[in-house]
Amino acid sequence: MKNIVVLTGAGMSAESGIATFRDSGGLWAQHRVEDVATPEGFQRNPQLVLDFYNKRRRESLLAKPNRGHIGLAEMEQEYNVQIITQNVDNLHEKAGSSSVIHLHGELMKARSSINPYKVYPLDPDNPDISVDDKCDDGSPLRPYIVWFGEAVPLMTEAEEIVRRADALVVIGTSLNVYPAAGLINYVYAETPIYVIDPNDVSVSRGRVHFIRKGASEGVAELRDLLKEQFGHNKNK
């Protein structure tokens, strides 16, 4: 079965109503990165940071997968699909995708503020984190989010997955945020790359096919292109 590796960014979830950070009017227009997405910001004002992510979490719980998410999940009937996402929502999982790596963390989890390996699922019926919530090591709970300046612990695993790709699909990411953007350099030169984005995305690799559409329409076109590339037999 062919290995289809999908790298997704904020544009993947935009059609589901999840606010992006960099677009005009996006989250960064309302908040300084240093205040809500750094360890230092959490130390200065934990209430502000927790309120920010509590709101993101409640929005995410109301969001539904779009046709792009669902299309990727359906592709598992034909290919070995592995998703590497920069998104912290769980819309890929809601759509039915079974292999998802979250490079930048997950909204529906919390972690110890001193031990990144102490991670706890949050109850969808009670999803907020309070400044009074403590981990069993006595440290304050914080969002399970990889903030700016922190290491991305799943990068090595993601690099290995990309190396095994028979095709790499990039959806809704500008490829400007590192180290995630560097994953595209781990595909072999002959591996086809499909970029789904209505905006221009700079890719300095060889076999690149641009699908200048949003996630839902783009994934539908992708599925047709992959059938042309690999055929219909899922065992090929």
Side-chain angles (χ1 to χ4, degrees):
M1 190 180 288
K2 295 295 185 181
N3 293 320
I4 309 299
V5 178
V6 186
L7 175 63
T8 67
M12 182 78 229
S13 296
E15 293 175 37
S16 295
I18 300 292
T20 60
F21 285 85
R22 287 172 175 77
D23 290 342
S24 176
L27 296 176
W28 289 151
Q30 305 166 38
H31 301 274
R32 295 174 68 244
V33 175
E34 297 83 358
D35 291 337
V36 296
T38 64
E40 295 78 15
F42 184 66
Q43 291 174 356
R44 284 195 305 270
N45 193 340
Q47 186 68 62
L48 174 68
V49 175
L50 293 179
D51 287 345
F52 176 82
Y53 287 100
N54 288 342
K55 183 178 180 181
R56 304 281 82 72
R57 201 174 295 114
R58 291 192 294 269
E59 291 172 348
S60 176
L61 284 168
L62 295 174
K64 296 181 179 180
N66 60 54
R67 288 185 292 116
H69 293 108
I70 294 168
L72 292 177
E74 291 174 347
M75 281 170 50
E76 292 188 12
Q77 300 170 28
E78 303 164 321
Y79 311 103
N80 177 31
V81 181
Q82 294 178 284
I83 295 173
I84 302 167
T85 186
Q86 300 172 76
N87 299 334
V88 295
D89 61 65
N90 61 357
L91 292 175
H92 284 299
E93 289 90 344
K94 283 184 179 180
S97 289
S98 62
S99 178
V100 184
I101 288 180
H102 289 267
L103 287 180
H104 295 160
E106 299 178 60
L107 273 174
M108 289 308 299
K109 293 180 180 179
R111 53 155 278 203
S112 159
S113 55
I114 61 175
N115 185 344
Y117 299 103
K118 283 186 175 290
V119 180
Y120 308 87
L122 293 170
D123 181 357
D125 295 325
N126 186 26
D128 289 358
I129 303 175
S130 161
V131 289
D132 297 322
D133 291 334
K134 297 290 193 295
C135 175
D136 58 16
D137 61 14
S139 71
L141 280 180
R142 54 160 275 187
Y144 180 55
I145 302 294
V146 178
W147 285 327
F148 289 94
E150 295 183 321
V152 181
L154 295 176
M155 272 303 296
T156 300
E157 183 179 350
E159 291 164 3
E160 289 302 317
I161 290 172
V162 171
R163 283 193 181 99
R164 298 193 296 268
D166 293 303
L168 177 67
V169 182
V170 179
I171 307 176
T173 174
S174 62
L175 293 178
N176 287 329
V177 178
Y178 286 84
L183 287 171
I184 201 166
N185 298 316
Y186 288 87
V187 296
Y188 290 104
E190 66 274 13
T191 302
I193 299 172
Y194 299 87
V195 178
I196 300 174
D197 202 302
N199 303 309
D200 289 335
V201 178
S202 178
V203 181
S204 58
R205 301 289 291 179
R207 300 178 58 191
V208 182
H209 185 103
F210 291 96
I211 303 174
R212 301 190 185 279
K213 297 179 178 179
S216 293
E217 291 185 354
V219 169
E221 183 171 327
L222 169 74
R223 296 177 72 177
D224 291 335
L225 292 171
L226 290 177
K227 287 176 181 177
E228 294 176 10
Q229 176 80 34
F230 298 123
H232 293 264
N233 185 343
K234 67 180 182 180
N235 294 316
K236 283 187 177 181

